[in-house]
Amino acid sequence: MLQKMLENQYGITVKEYVKLDAYDALRGNGWLYIISNPSGKEEADITELEKIAEHLRNYGDQNVPIFLPSKEGQLITTWEQNKYCVLANRQIEEQRNIKLGRKLAKFHERGRMVPFQIERSSRTGQWKSLWEKRLEQMEKVWNGILFQTPEDEFERMFIDSFPYYLGLTENAIQYLVDTELDDEALETDSGTVCHERFNNKTWGPHSHYMIKNPFDWVFDHRSRDLAEWTRERYFRNIQTYDVELRQFFSEYQSIAPLSSFSWRLLYSRLIFPLHYFDCIESYYITRSEQDKKVLEDRLRKILRQSSEYERFLAGFFQMSGAPINRMNLPQLEWLFQ
């Protein structure tokens, strides 16, 4: 059916279907065609992403795909009541053993040179208001169930744990505000192309391909990607993340050294318990009992590891090789008591 859509709407004939993790793709003529769902994005959002992608390709990034316009010249096409976007990438086999830290730094450096105003996908300077909004919504839910008998184990854990995570969130917001007041953003701190949640698998390898999918992008401060990569690695393996962490930051900084403003922004984002928010919010959104069970287990694990996470926060600057004294990077006093 996707072959038919590609032929009908784009005039492209290919035979071979490939499944790349989360993506459906078709392969042929030396190209890889990734069929994407615009997932709630409008034509204006897609047009902006397309301009960013073109900029990155012009600056030499071969793993950024091209947005294909349909025969009608549209970036979003409708076929059998479904909306699609098609991304095309030259078929380059991915080299093994890439240094992800270096690659990400180069990506950020290219992204910083975007020569036009980013409107639709920008998150720069918005963390404080976004965090406050999420906190407010969660506090509302918490207040609503506080004086009732918990419906289930998940709700009981949420009721008990929320005050702690409320405190942690306020710490993160305060740290962020202090950074913006006390520290000077350098030119290297200007916004760049980042990802919703960057981790080791964001770019693949999707069965041998490295794909930098524009649907993952937001325009933000580089520390967003560094923080989310760090968080994912930490939770992936609480025992051995430190070696990887040091190596990743050393690779990254061999291309783009971090300013004290960057380090502090990054740290505020690690203090913000995004993993906790994601888990609670997902639970109250999902209808699936199976997902609820998975999220209950995840929450139990997060709570069990909360003091371990405090130890991680206390040691983060040291582990990642940040110049704590030279840059006078403030740490959270209570973590060291």
Side-chain angles (χ1 to χ4, degrees):
M1 133 151 175
L2 291 175
Q3 272 103 324
K4 215 173 182 122
M5 188 272 295
L6 206 57
E7 197 165 332
N8 226 302
Q9 306 297 90
Y10 294 86
I12 295 169
T13 317
V14 285
K15 293 282 186 280
E16 193 187 355
Y17 170 83
V18 269
K19 182 80 179 144
L20 305 178
D21 298 347
Y23 313 123
D24 290 309
L26 300 161
R27 195 160 52 184
N29 333 321
W31 289 83
L32 192 63
Y33 300 99
I34 300 148
I35 315 295
S36 231
N37 171 345
S39 54
K41 286 184 169 31
E42 297 163 20
E43 189 86 24
D45 300 310
I46 307 284
T47 304
E48 183 174 270
L49 290 174
E50 195 248 347
K51 279 172 71 180
I52 297 172
E54 185 184 17
H55 161 82
L56 292 170
R57 275 199 318 280
N58 290 343
Y59 270 71
D61 198 324
Q62 301 181 318
N63 300 111
V64 170
I66 295 164
F67 279 87
L68 286 189
S70 67
K71 288 179 182 170
E72 273 77 60
Q74 302 296 315
L75 293 174
I76 301 177
T77 194
T78 306
W79 172 252
E80 295 181 348
Q81 277 97 53
N82 289 314
K83 289 186 182 319
Y84 296 102
C85 284
V86 177
L87 302 166
N89 227 7
R90 273 257 168 243
Q91 240 178 282
I92 344 171
E93 285 286 322
E94 186 36 50
Q95 63 277 34
R96 288 279 160 257
N97 308 326
I98 62 154
K99 289 189 159 65
L100 190 61
R102 284 176 66 90
K103 283 257 190 234
L104 182 63
K106 286 181 172 169
F107 182 82
H108 283 161
E109 288 303 292
R110 291 180 177 125
R112 233 164 35 84
M113 309 297 176
V114 168
F116 45 86
Q117 190 64 36
I118 306 285
E119 311 269 327
R120 319 266 314 184
S121 57
S122 181
R123 299 280 182 286
T124 44
Q126 295 177 26
W127 296 4
K128 180 176 179 280
S129 57
L130 291 170
W131 294 353
E132 285 171 343
K133 193 167 146 201
R134 287 176 82 167
L135 185 59
E136 221 168 274
Q137 286 168 335
M138 196 168 286
E139 196 164 5
K140 224 182 235 156
V141 175
W142 183 71
N143 277 322
I145 57 175
L146 189 51
F147 299 109
Q148 303 165 2
T149 312
E151 276 197 10
D152 50 32
E153 180 58 14
F154 186 94
E155 208 151 83
R156 190 193 61 72
M157 290 191 289
F158 171 44
I159 290 171
D160 291 348
S161 63
F162 180 69
Y164 170 80
Y165 286 97
L166 167 88
L168 204 53
T169 303
E170 286 174 341
N171 269 241
I173 292 169
Q174 191 53 55
Y175 194 96
L176 176 69
V177 169
D178 289 347
T179 298
E180 289 174 344
L181 287 174
D182 306 342
D183 209 334
E184 201 58 50
L186 305 180
E187 200 211 331
T188 53
D189 290 305
S190 53
T192 185
V193 185
C194 291
H195 303 74
E196 281 287 350
R197 298 273 195 282
F198 187 74
N199 64 47
N200 266 12
K201 293 218 163 67
T202 301
W203 291 344
H206 308 283
S207 23
H208 311 316
Y209 296 109
M210 184 185 253
I211 297 161
K212 299 177 180 174
N213 189 340
F215 286 100
D216 294 333
W217 297 347
V218 292
F219 199 78
D220 207 339
H221 188 278
R222 61 175 78 228
S223 57
R224 177 196 190 102
D225 283 349
L226 296 171
E228 294 318 321
W229 179 89
T230 301
R231 192 191 309 269
E232 195 274 338
R233 284 290 92 186
Y234 167 78
F235 281 110
R236 173 62 49 100
N237 198 334
I238 283 196
Q239 301 310 317
T240 61
Y241 62 87
D242 50 338
V243 179
E244 256 188 295
L245 197 68
R246 186 169 288 264
Q247 188 191 348
F248 180 79
F249 276 91
S250 133
E251 285 173 16
Y252 188 93
Q253 292 201 93
S254 71
I255 302 290
L258 296 176
S259 66
S260 63
F261 186 81
S262 284
W263 280 114
R264 289 173 71 170
L265 227 49
L266 200 173
Y267 195 53
S268 73
R269 198 173 174 96
L270 286 175
I271 301 167
F272 178 68
L274 188 63
H275 44 285
Y276 178 82
F277 276 81
D278 281 350
C279 182
I280 305 282
E281 288 164 354
S282 303
Y283 186 87
Y284 283 107
I285 291 167
T286 184
R287 296 262 173 277
S288 144
E289 284 309 314
Q290 194 182 353
D291 288 352
K292 286 190 163 177
K293 195 78 205 112
V294 170
L295 289 159
E296 184 187 311
D297 290 343
R298 183 179 306 163
L299 181 61
R300 192 174 291 111
K301 195 172 170 190
I302 289 173
L303 302 186
R304 209 176 45 236
Q305 292 168 351
S306 61
S307 53
E308 176 50 57
Y309 194 70
E310 286 180 14
R311 271 198 296 281
F312 159 69
L313 286 175
F316 169 73
F317 279 147
Q318 209 91 43
M319 270 178 301
S320 52
I324 308 173
N325 298 333
R326 182 164 64 75
M327 289 189 171
N328 202 5
L329 300 172
Q331 309 207 51
L332 294 183
E333 303 278 310
W334 61 269
L335 287 173
F336 297 91
Q337 284 158 7

